[in-house]
Amino acid sequence: MPKLEAATLERRKLEIARSTQAEDVLTGRVLLSNGDEYSCIARNVSIQSAELTVASTISTGQVVVCYFDQVGILPGRAIATTSTGFVVAFQIKPTRRDRITAQLEWWAKTRNETTELRRAPRIVPLHKDVEVRLGEQIVLTGTVLNISMSGAAIRLSTRDGPFVGARVRVGERFATVVRLLDDGIAVQFLTPFTSENFDERVKL
């Protein structure tokens, strides 16, 4: 990605973060009709439309193709411009609408769970080293950054970690990846800890 595009997108991400507070967004890329491709983030996403933040100017009526990490490919058309990008109206074939609707519902559910996970009281455990298993063959070395009764933030030794929605085993506890961090993942436990056995000595 060109440095100018990256810097502009990062600045706009910060603007959105300040204005939307805890609101979550979809991340991905958008292909314009002239062949240019840009990173983007999407707010107010529905099966009909979304508001995109993108480091490029665009005219209304332009055909675009969006790819969102959590949903997939969604073609559409720009119907309005904003101070940080544009609004896209999706043009989804009837045969795909049910599947895309289900994926968006899953994303909304995960977003709500992630919000609850962020609000839960957190501690830094004494035992920080942990293994993160994706299936039986992939084992990643991790460090627990903080932990709550319902989940944990974990720094991984590699950037090639699990994707959002992946089922993993963190130590001896099964969990779901609900958010990607710059250097790791945030997970939600399938079975939360109870207050009776949750303190700094907790071990995953």
Side-chain angles (χ1 to χ4, degrees), residues 111-142:
R111 177 187 60 191
N112 292 335
E113 291 174 347
T114 302
T115 300
E116 291 302 316
L117 180 61
R118 291 174 184 171
R119 290 174 179 169
R122 293 178 172 273
I123 62 174
V124 177
L126 297 175
H127 304 284
K128 298 182 178 66
D129 295 337
V130 69
E131 287 186 344
V132 178
R133 291 181 176 269
L134 183 60
E136 293 301 321
Q137 303 298 322
I138 301 176
V139 181
L140 305 175
T141 301

Side-chain angles (χ1 to χ4, degrees), residues 125 127-133 139-146 152-158 162 169-171 183-185 204:
H127 304 284
K128 298 182 178 66
D129 295 337
V130 69
E131 287 186 344
V132 178
R133 291 181 176 269
V139 181
L140 305 175
T141 301
T143 302
V144 179
L145 300 175
N146 56 64
I154 301 168
R155 178 187 296 121
L156 296 177
S157 58
T158 175
R169 192 173 76 189
V170 182
D183 55 356
I185 55 175
L204 292 173

Side-chain angles (χ1 to χ4, degrees), residues 4 15 25 28 49 63 76 84 99 115 130 140 144 156 166 170 190:
L4 179 60
E15 291 171 353
V25 297
S49 63
V63 173
T84 58
R99 182 169 65 84
T115 300
V130 69
L140 305 175
V144 179
L156 296 177
V170 182
L190 297 189

Side-chain angles (χ1 to χ4, degrees), residues 6 26 65 78 90 96 146 156 164 171 184 192 204:
L26 284 172
V65 177
F90 297 125
R96 296 186 64 217
N146 56 64
L156 296 177
V164 172
L204 292 173

